[in-house]
PDB file of all heavy atoms in Angstrom:
ATOM      1  N   ALA A 305      59.633   7.187 -13.777  1.00 97.00           N
ATOM      2  CA  ALA A 305      60.334   6.554 -12.651  1.00 97.00           C
ATOM      3  C   ALA A 305      59.424   5.521 -12.017  1.00 97.00           C
ATOM      4  O   ALA A 305      59.853   4.362 -11.679  1.00 97.00           O
ATOM      5  CB  ALA A 305      60.720   7.599 -11.632  1.00 97.00           C
ATOM      6  N   VAL A 306      58.177   5.821 -11.859  1.00 97.00           N
ATOM      7  CA  VAL A 306      57.266   4.858 -11.181  1.00 97.00           C
ATOM      8  C   VAL A 306      57.019   3.652 -12.071  1.00 97.00           C
ATOM      9  O   VAL A 306      56.896   2.501 -11.606  1.00 97.00           O
ATOM     10  CB  VAL A 306      55.973   5.566 -10.689  1.00 97.00           C
ATOM     11  CG1 VAL A 306      55.000   5.879 -11.794  1.00 97.00           C
ATOM     12  CG2 VAL A 306      55.290   4.724  -9.601  1.00 97.00           C
ATOM     13  N   ARG A 307      56.966   3.883 -13.365  1.00 97.00           N
ATOM     14  CA  ARG A 307      56.828   2.751 -14.324  1.00 97.00           C
ATOM     15  C   ARG A 307      58.058   1.834 -14.245  1.00 97.00           C
ATOM     16  O   ARG A 307      57.908   0.611 -14.321  1.00 97.00           O
ATOM     17  CB  ARG A 307      56.619   3.260 -15.770  1.00 97.00           C
ATOM     18  CG  ARG A 307      55.191   3.702 -15.945  1.00 97.00           C
ATOM     19  CD  ARG A 307      54.901   4.266 -17.320  1.00 97.00           C
ATOM     20  NE  ARG A 307      53.608   4.852 -17.298  1.00 97.00           N
ATOM     21  CZ  ARG A 307      53.273   6.027 -17.847  1.00 97.00           C
ATOM     22  NH1 ARG A 307      54.189   6.710 -18.530  1.00 97.00           N
ATOM     23  NH2 ARG A 307      52.064   6.504 -17.749  1.00 97.00           N
ATOM     24  N   ALA A 308      59.227   2.465 -14.099  1.00 97.00           N
ATOM     25  CA  ALA A 308      60.427   1.642 -14.009  1.00 97.00           C
ATOM     26  C   ALA A 308      60.483   0.889 -12.706  1.00 97.00           C
ATOM     27  O   ALA A 308      60.956  -0.286 -12.641  1.00 97.00           O
ATOM     28  CB  ALA A 308      61.625   2.580 -14.123  1.00 97.00           C
ATOM     29  N   ARG A 309      59.915   1.470 -11.654  1.00 97.00           N
ATOM     30  CA  ARG A 309      59.954   0.831 -10.315  1.00 97.00           C
ATOM     31  C   ARG A 309      58.932  -0.248 -10.155  1.00 97.00           C
ATOM     32  O   ARG A 309      59.121  -1.217  -9.442  1.00 97.00           O
ATOM     33  CB  ARG A 309      59.770   1.953  -9.267  1.00 97.00           C
ATOM     34  CG  ARG A 309      60.305   1.594  -7.905  1.00 97.00           C
ATOM     35  CD  ARG A 309      60.126   2.716  -6.885  1.00 97.00           C
ATOM     36  NE  ARG A 309      58.759   3.074  -6.650  1.00 97.00           N
ATOM     37  CZ  ARG A 309      58.212   4.293  -6.861  1.00 97.00           C
ATOM     38  NH1 ARG A 309      59.026   5.250  -7.327  1.00 97.00           N
ATOM     39  NH2 ARG A 309      56.968   4.528  -6.617  1.00 97.00           N
ATOM     40  N   THR A 310      57.768  -0.057 -10.810  1.00 96.00           N
ATOM     41  CA  THR A 310      56.674  -1.057 -10.641  1.00 96.00           C
ATOM     42  C   THR A 310      56.461  -1.742 -11.980  1.00 96.00           C
ATOM     43  O   THR A 310      57.003  -1.332 -12.996  1.00 96.00           O
ATOM     44  CB  THR A 310      55.354  -0.328 -10.265  1.00 96.00           C
ATOM     45  OG1 THR A 310      54.927   0.414 -11.443  1.00 96.00           O
ATOM     46  CG2 THR A 310      55.514   0.578  -9.050  1.00 96.00           C
ATOM     47  N   SER A 311      55.654  -2.751 -12.004  1.00 92.00           N
ATOM     48  CA  SER A 311      55.349  -3.386 -13.261  1.00 92.00           C
ATOM     49  C   SER A 311      54.088  -2.829 -13.902  1.00 92.00           C
ATOM     50  O   SER A 311      53.468  -3.424 -14.757  1.00 92.00           O
ATOM     51  CB  SER A 311      55.217  -4.901 -13.118  1.00 92.00           C
ATOM     52  OG  SER A 311      54.244  -5.121 -12.096  1.00 92.00           O
ATOM     53  N   TYR A 312      53.649  -1.646 -13.393  1.00 98.00           N
ATOM     54  CA  TYR A 312      52.385  -1.062 -13.850  1.00 98.00           C
ATOM     55  C   TYR A 312      52.616   0.135 -14.741  1.00 98.00           C
ATOM     56  O   TYR A 312      53.579   0.910 -14.501  1.00 98.00           O
ATOM     57  CB  TYR A 312      51.547  -0.706 -12.613  1.00 98.00           C
ATOM     58  CG  TYR A 312      51.041  -1.944 -11.882  1.00 98.00           C
ATOM     59  CD1 TYR A 312      51.848  -2.563 -10.964  1.00 98.00           C
ATOM     60  CD2 TYR A 312      49.772  -2.484 -12.182  1.00 98.00           C
ATOM     61  CE1 TYR A 312      51.418  -3.688 -10.271  1.00 98.00           C
ATOM     62  CE2 TYR A 312      49.363  -3.625 -11.528  1.00 98.00           C
ATOM     63  CZ  TYR A 312      50.175  -4.221 -10.589  1.00 98.00           C
ATOM     64  OH  TYR A 312      49.744  -5.358  -9.931  1.00 98.00           O
ATOM     65  N   ASP A 313      51.718   0.368 -15.712  1.00 98.00           N
ATOM     66  CA  ASP A 313      51.897   1.561 -16.605  1.00 98.00           C
ATOM     67  C   ASP A 313      50.950   2.686 -16.124  1.00 98.00           C
ATOM     68  O   ASP A 313      51.093   3.838 -16.561  1.00 98.00           O
ATOM     69  CB  ASP A 313      51.622   1.214 -18.062  1.00 98.00           C
ATOM     70  CG  ASP A 313      50.185   0.751 -18.304  1.00 98.00           C
ATOM     71  OD1 ASP A 313      49.464   0.483 -17.334  1.00 98.00           O
ATOM     72  OD2 ASP A 313      49.793   0.622 -19.539  1.00 98.00           O
ATOM     73  N   GLU A 314      50.005   2.384 -15.266  1.00 98.00           N
ATOM     74  CA  GLU A 314      49.122   3.396 -14.683  1.00 98.00           C
ATOM     75  C   GLU A 314      48.648   2.897 -13.319  1.00 98.00           C
ATOM     76  O   GLU A 314      48.976   1.779 -12.897  1.00 98.00           O
ATOM     77  CB  GLU A 314      47.929   3.683 -15.587  1.00 98.00           C
ATOM     78  CG  GLU A 314      47.896   5.144 -16.150  1.00 98.00           C
ATOM     79  CD  GLU A 314      47.964   6.236 -15.085  1.00 98.00           C
ATOM     80  OE1 GLU A 314      47.623   6.038 -13.881  1.00 98.00           O
ATOM     81  OE2 GLU A 314      48.349   7.395 -15.410  1.00 98.00           O
ATOM     82  N   SER A 315      47.829   3.708 -12.651  1.00 98.00           N
ATOM     83  CA  SER A 315      47.412   3.387 -11.282  1.00 98.00           C
ATOM     84  C   SER A 315      46.182   2.465 -11.234  1.00 98.00           C
ATOM     85  O   SER A 315      45.713   2.096 -10.165  1.00 98.00           O
ATOM     86  CB  SER A 315      47.062   4.692 -10.582  1.00 98.00           C
ATOM     87  OG  SER A 315      45.976   5.303 -11.236  1.00 98.00           O
ATOM     88  N   VAL A 316      45.627   2.160 -12.432  1.00 98.00           N
ATOM     89  CA  VAL A 316      44.521   1.212 -12.423  1.00 98.00           C
ATOM     90  C   VAL A 316      44.699   0.150 -13.482  1.00 98.00           C
ATOM     91  O   VAL A 316      45.363   0.387 -14.484  1.00 98.00           O
ATOM     92  CB  VAL A 316      43.146   1.991 -12.729  1.00 98.00           C
ATOM     93  CG1 VAL A 316      42.773   2.876 -11.606  1.00 98.00           C
ATOM     94  CG2 VAL A 316      43.227   2.739 -14.039  1.00 98.00           C
ATOM     95  N   VAL A 317      44.133  -1.019 -13.205  1.00 98.00           N
ATOM     96  CA  VAL A 317      44.124  -2.069 -14.239  1.00 98.00           C
ATOM     97  C   VAL A 317      42.651  -2.478 -14.421  1.00 98.00           C
ATOM     98  O   VAL A 317      41.875  -2.441 -13.502  1.00 98.00           O
ATOM     99  CB  VAL A 317      44.955  -3.334 -13.791  1.00 98.00           C
ATOM    100  CG1 VAL A 317      46.380  -2.978 -13.730  1.00 98.00           C
ATOM    101  CG2 VAL A 317      44.433  -3.916 -12.521  1.00 98.00           C
ATOM    102  N   THR A 318      42.357  -2.805 -15.671  1.00 98.00           N
ATOM    103  CA  THR A 318      40.982  -3.225 -15.982  1.00 98.00           C
ATOM    104  C   THR A 318      41.027  -4.496 -16.861  1.00 98.00           C
ATOM    105  O   THR A 318      42.021  -4.708 -17.553  1.00 98.00           O
ATOM    106  CB  THR A 318      40.208  -2.117 -16.740  1.00 98.00           C
ATOM    107  OG1 THR A 318      40.793  -1.952 -18.028  1.00 98.00           O
ATOM    108  CG2 THR A 318      40.226  -0.784 -15.987  1.00 98.00           C
ATOM    109  N   GLY A 319      39.945  -5.221 -16.824  1.00 98.00           N
ATOM    110  CA  GLY A 319      39.899  -6.428 -17.624  1.00 98.00           C
ATOM    111  C   GLY A 319      38.741  -7.296 -17.236  1.00 98.00           C
ATOM    112  O   GLY A 319      37.777  -6.837 -16.621  1.00 98.00           O
ATOM    113  N   GLU A 320      38.806  -8.562 -17.638  1.00 98.00           N
ATOM    114  CA  GLU A 320      37.694  -9.456 -17.356  1.00 98.00           C
ATOM    115  C   GLU A 320      38.256 -10.801 -16.863  1.00 98.00           C
ATOM    116  O   GLU A 320      39.449 -11.091 -17.099  1.00 98.00           O
ATOM    117  CB  GLU A 320      36.810  -9.677 -18.557  1.00 98.00           C
ATOM    118  CG  GLU A 320      37.505 -10.361 -19.717  1.00 98.00           C
ATOM    119  CD  GLU A 320      36.550 -10.817 -20.783  1.00 98.00           C
ATOM    120  OE1 GLU A 320      36.052 -11.937 -20.683  1.00 98.00           O
ATOM    121  OE2 GLU A 320      36.301 -10.026 -21.716  1.00 98.00           O
ATOM    122  N   GLY A 321      37.389 -11.553 -16.281  1.00 98.00           N
ATOM    123  CA  GLY A 321      37.770 -12.903 -15.834  1.00 98.00           C
ATOM    124  C   GLY A 321      36.576 -13.706 -15.453  1.00 98.00           C
ATOM    125  O   GLY A 321      35.447 -13.205 -15.717  1.00 98.00           O
ATOM    126  N   LEU A 322      36.772 -14.846 -14.906  1.00 98.00           N
ATOM    127  CA  LEU A 322      35.632 -15.683 -14.468  1.00 98.00           C
ATOM    128  C   LEU A 322      35.597 -15.688 -12.939  1.00 98.00           C
ATOM    129  O   LEU A 322      36.623 -15.749 -12.264  1.00 98.00           O
ATOM    130  CB  LEU A 322      35.788 -17.055 -15.021  1.00 98.00           C
ATOM    131  CG  LEU A 322      35.840 -17.199 -16.582  1.00 98.00           C
ATOM    132  CD1 LEU A 322      36.076 -18.681 -16.942  1.00 98.00           C
ATOM    133  CD2 LEU A 322      34.545 -16.698 -17.182  1.00 98.00           C
ATOM    134  N   LEU A 323      34.340 -15.681 -12.435  1.00 98.00           N
ATOM    135  CA  LEU A 323      34.179 -15.771 -10.998  1.00 98.00           C
ATOM    136  C   LEU A 323      33.196 -16.962 -10.839  1.00 98.00           C
ATOM    137  O   LEU A 323      32.024 -16.848 -11.174  1.00 98.00           O
ATOM    138  CB  LEU A 323      33.548 -14.480 -10.470  1.00 98.00           C
ATOM    139  CG  LEU A 323      33.462 -14.330  -8.971  1.00 98.00           C
ATOM    140  CD1 LEU A 323      34.854 -14.345  -8.326  1.00 98.00           C
ATOM    141  CD2 LEU A 323      32.735 -13.027  -8.644  1.00 98.00           C
ATOM    142  N   ALA A 324      33.725 -18.059 -10.317  1.00 98.00           N
ATOM    143  CA  ALA A 324      32.946 -19.323 -10.272  1.00 98.00           C
ATOM    144  C   ALA A 324      32.337 -19.602 -11.619  1.00 98.00           C
ATOM    145  O   ALA A 324      31.153 -19.949 -11.722  1.00 98.00           O
ATOM    146  CB  ALA A 324      31.920 -19.234  -9.141  1.00 98.00           C
ATOM    147  N   GLY A 325      33.093 -19.368 -12.681  1.00 98.00           N
ATOM    148  CA  GLY A 325      32.630 -19.681 -14.043  1.00 98.00           C
ATOM    149  C   GLY A 325      31.823 -18.537 -14.652  1.00 98.00           C
ATOM    150  O   GLY A 325      31.482 -18.645 -15.850  1.00 98.00           O
ATOM    151  N   ARG A 326      31.491 -17.541 -13.946  1.00 98.00           N
ATOM    152  CA  ARG A 326      30.678 -16.418 -14.506  1.00 98.00           C
ATOM    153  C   ARG A 326      31.604 -15.300 -14.998  1.00 98.00           C
ATOM    154  O   ARG A 326      32.507 -14.872 -14.277  1.00 98.00           O
ATOM    155  CB  ARG A 326      29.739 -15.863 -13.400  1.00 98.00           C
ATOM    156  CG  ARG A 326      28.784 -14.780 -13.893  1.00 98.00           C
ATOM    157  CD  ARG A 326      28.085 -14.139 -12.673  1.00 98.00           C
ATOM    158  NE  ARG A 326      27.441 -15.096 -11.830  1.00 98.00           N
ATOM    159  CZ  ARG A 326      26.275 -15.694 -12.042  1.00 98.00           C
ATOM    160  NH1 ARG A 326      25.670 -15.458 -13.166  1.00 98.00           N
ATOM    161  NH2 ARG A 326      25.771 -16.569 -11.186  1.00 98.00           N
ATOM    162  N   ARG A 327      31.362 -14.798 -16.205  1.00 98.00           N
ATOM    163  CA  ARG A 327      32.213 -13.736 -16.775  1.00 98.00           C
ATOM    164  C   ARG A 327      31.907 -12.401 -16.034  1.00 98.00           C
ATOM    165  O   ARG A 327      30.739 -12.008 -15.931  1.00 98.00           O
ATOM    166  CB  ARG A 327      31.830 -13.577 -18.255  1.00 98.00           C
ATOM    167  CG  ARG A 327      32.997 -13.247 -19.098  1.00 98.00           C
ATOM    168  CD  ARG A 327      32.566 -13.170 -20.570  1.00 98.00           C
ATOM    169  NE  ARG A 327      33.245 -12.044 -21.168  1.00 98.00           N
ATOM    170  CZ  ARG A 327      32.762 -11.263 -22.111  1.00 98.00           C
ATOM    171  NH1 ARG A 327      31.527 -11.517 -22.606  1.00 98.00           N
ATOM    172  NH2 ARG A 327      33.422 -10.239 -22.580  1.00 98.00           N
ATOM    173  N   VAL A 328      32.955 -11.774 -15.593  1.00 98.00           N
ATOM    174  CA  VAL A 328      32.812 -10.493 -14.894  1.00 98.00           C
ATOM    175  C   VAL A 328      33.866  -9.535 -15.366  1.00 98.00           C
ATOM    176  O   VAL A 328      34.963  -9.909 -15.780  1.00 98.00           O
ATOM    177  CB  VAL A 328      32.955 -10.635 -13.326  1.00 98.00           C
ATOM    178  CG1 VAL A 328      31.829 -11.435 -12.735  1.00 98.00           C
ATOM    179  CG2 VAL A 328      34.297 -11.231 -12.963  1.00 98.00           C
ATOM    180  N   ALA A 329      33.532  -8.237 -15.327  1.00 99.00           N
ATOM    181  CA  ALA A 329      34.525  -7.181 -15.576  1.00 99.00           C
ATOM    182  C   ALA A 329      35.128  -6.748 -14.272  1.00 99.00           C
ATOM    183  O   ALA A 329      34.436  -6.751 -13.231  1.00 99.00           O
ATOM    184  CB  ALA A 329      33.850  -6.014 -16.297  1.00 99.00           C
ATOM    185  N   VAL A 330      36.378  -6.285 -14.305  1.00 98.00           N
ATOM    186  CA  VAL A 330      37.032  -5.947 -13.049  1.00 98.00           C
ATOM    187  C   VAL A 330      37.827  -4.677 -13.292  1.00 98.00           C
ATOM    188  O   VAL A 330      38.435  -4.431 -14.340  1.00 98.00           O
ATOM    189  CB  VAL A 330      38.067  -7.023 -12.643  1.00 98.00           C
ATOM    190  CG1 VAL A 330      38.813  -6.642 -11.372  1.00 98.00           C
ATOM    191  CG2 VAL A 330      37.361  -8.366 -12.401  1.00 98.00           C
ATOM    192  N   MET A 331      37.808  -3.756 -12.264  1.00 98.00           N
ATOM    193  CA  MET A 331      38.750  -2.627 -12.309  1.00 98.00           C
ATOM    194  C   MET A 331      39.328  -2.490 -10.862  1.00 98.00           C
ATOM    195  O   MET A 331      38.603  -2.575  -9.883  1.00 98.00           O
ATOM    196  CB  MET A 331      38.036  -1.325 -12.750  1.00 98.00           C
ATOM    197  CG  MET A 331      36.785  -0.939 -12.045  1.00 98.00           C
ATOM    198  SD  MET A 331      36.012   0.375 -12.993  1.00 98.00           S
ATOM    199  CE  MET A 331      34.773   0.982 -11.803  1.00 98.00           C
ATOM    200  N   ALA A 332      40.638  -2.359 -10.827  1.00 98.00           N
ATOM    201  CA  ALA A 332      41.343  -2.299  -9.565  1.00 98.00           C
ATOM    202  C   ALA A 332      42.449  -1.258  -9.563  1.00 98.00           C
ATOM    203  O   ALA A 332      43.021  -0.992 -10.617  1.00 98.00           O
ATOM    204  CB  ALA A 332      41.926  -3.629  -9.208  1.00 98.00           C
ATOM    205  N   CYS A 333      42.654  -0.651  -8.382  1.00 98.00           N
ATOM    206  CA  CYS A 333      43.744   0.301  -8.250  1.00 98.00           C
ATOM    207  C   CYS A 333      45.043  -0.381  -7.899  1.00 98.00           C
ATOM    208  O   CYS A 333      45.048  -1.418  -7.239  1.00 98.00           O
ATOM    209  CB  CYS A 333      43.470   1.345  -7.190  1.00 98.00           C
ATOM    210  SG  CYS A 333      42.171   2.474  -7.548  1.00 98.00           S
ATOM    211  N   GLU A 334      46.150   0.233  -8.344  1.00 98.00           N
ATOM    212  CA  GLU A 334      47.479  -0.209  -7.902  1.00 98.00           C
ATOM    213  C   GLU A 334      48.100   0.886  -7.024  1.00 98.00           C
ATOM    214  O   GLU A 334      48.491   1.929  -7.561  1.00 98.00           O
ATOM    215  CB  GLU A 334      48.376  -0.549  -9.088  1.00 98.00           C
ATOM    216  CG  GLU A 334      49.788  -0.923  -8.735  1.00 98.00           C
ATOM    217  CD  GLU A 334      49.843  -1.888  -7.542  1.00 98.00           C
ATOM    218  OE1 GLU A 334      49.068  -2.830  -7.499  1.00 98.00           O
ATOM    219  OE2 GLU A 334      50.719  -1.673  -6.677  1.00 98.00           O
ATOM    220  N   PHE A 335      48.129   0.675  -5.703  1.00 98.00           N
ATOM    221  CA  PHE A 335      48.542   1.738  -4.825  1.00 98.00           C
ATOM    222  C   PHE A 335      50.013   2.129  -4.991  1.00 98.00           C
ATOM    223  O   PHE A 335      50.349   3.314  -4.781  1.00 98.00           O
ATOM    224  CB  PHE A 335      48.254   1.373  -3.350  1.00 98.00           C
ATOM    225  CG  PHE A 335      48.406   2.546  -2.422  1.00 98.00           C
ATOM    226  CD1 PHE A 335      47.365   3.455  -2.284  1.00 98.00           C
ATOM    227  CD2 PHE A 335      49.596   2.750  -1.715  1.00 98.00           C
ATOM    228  CE1 PHE A 335      47.493   4.559  -1.420  1.00 98.00           C
ATOM    229  CE2 PHE A 335      49.724   3.911  -0.879  1.00 98.00           C
ATOM    230  CZ  PHE A 335      48.671   4.769  -0.730  1.00 98.00           C
ATOM    231  N   SER A 336      50.849   1.215  -5.401  1.00 97.00           N
ATOM    232  CA  SER A 336      52.298   1.550  -5.530  1.00 97.00           C
ATOM    233  C   SER A 336      52.507   2.499  -6.655  1.00 97.00           C
ATOM    234  O   SER A 336      53.598   3.089  -6.811  1.00 97.00           O
ATOM    235  CB  SER A 336      53.121   0.266  -5.753  1.00 97.00           C
ATOM    236  OG  SER A 336      52.866  -0.252  -7.000  1.00 97.00           O
ATOM    237  N   PHE A 337      51.556   2.704  -7.537  1.00 98.00           N
ATOM    238  CA  PHE A 337      51.666   3.672  -8.644  1.00 98.00           C
ATOM    239  C   PHE A 337      50.981   4.965  -8.209  1.00 98.00           C
ATOM    240  O   PHE A 337      49.777   5.143  -8.273  1.00 98.00           O
ATOM    241  CB  PHE A 337      50.964   3.115  -9.886  1.00 98.00           C
ATOM    242  CG  PHE A 337      51.314   3.851 -11.145  1.00 98.00           C
ATOM    243  CD1 PHE A 337      52.188   3.283 -12.074  1.00 98.00           C
ATOM    244  CD2 PHE A 337      50.819   5.121 -11.388  1.00 98.00           C
ATOM    245  CE1 PHE A 337      52.520   3.949 -13.235  1.00 98.00           C
ATOM    246  CE2 PHE A 337      51.148   5.808 -12.535  1.00 98.00           C
ATOM    247  CZ  PHE A 337      52.021   5.193 -13.493  1.00 98.00           C
ATOM    248  N   LEU A 338      51.819   5.896  -7.696  1.00 98.00           N
ATOM    249  CA  LEU A 338      51.365   7.203  -7.267  1.00 98.00           C
ATOM    250  C   LEU A 338      50.070   7.109  -6.376  1.00 98.00           C
ATOM    251  O   LEU A 338      49.075   7.827  -6.592  1.00 98.00           O
ATOM    252  CB  LEU A 338      51.097   8.120  -8.451  1.00 98.00           C
ATOM    253  CG  LEU A 338      52.331   8.434  -9.317  1.00 98.00           C
ATOM    254  CD1 LEU A 338      51.952   9.380 -10.477  1.00 98.00           C
ATOM    255  CD2 LEU A 338      53.481   9.024  -8.540  1.00 98.00           C
ATOM    256  N   ALA A 339      50.131   6.177  -5.432  1.00 98.00           N
ATOM    257  CA  ALA A 339      49.067   5.979  -4.476  1.00 98.00           C
ATOM    258  C   ALA A 339      47.684   5.668  -5.093  1.00 98.00           C
ATOM    259  O   ALA A 339      46.659   5.997  -4.592  1.00 98.00           O
ATOM    260  CB  ALA A 339      48.929   7.225  -3.579  1.00 98.00           C
ATOM    261  N   GLY A 340      47.723   4.982  -6.239  1.00 98.00           N
ATOM    262  CA  GLY A 340      46.446   4.636  -6.896  1.00 98.00           C
ATOM    263  C   GLY A 340      45.627   5.842  -7.247  1.00 98.00           C
ATOM    264  O   GLY A 340      44.412   5.780  -7.395  1.00 98.00           O
TER     265      GLY A 340
END
Side-chain angles (χ1 to χ4, degrees):
V306 75
R307 281 177 190 139
R309 201 177 62 239
T310 68
S311 55
Y312 290 85
D313 63 350
E314 245 305 339
S315 62
V316 291
V317 295
T318 67
E320 64 169 271
L322 300 176
L323 189 62
R326 184 189 307 282
R327 216 178 139 214
V328 293
V330 177
M331 52 191 194
C333 289
E334 175 46 41
F335 192 82
S336 70
F337 195 105
L338 299 181

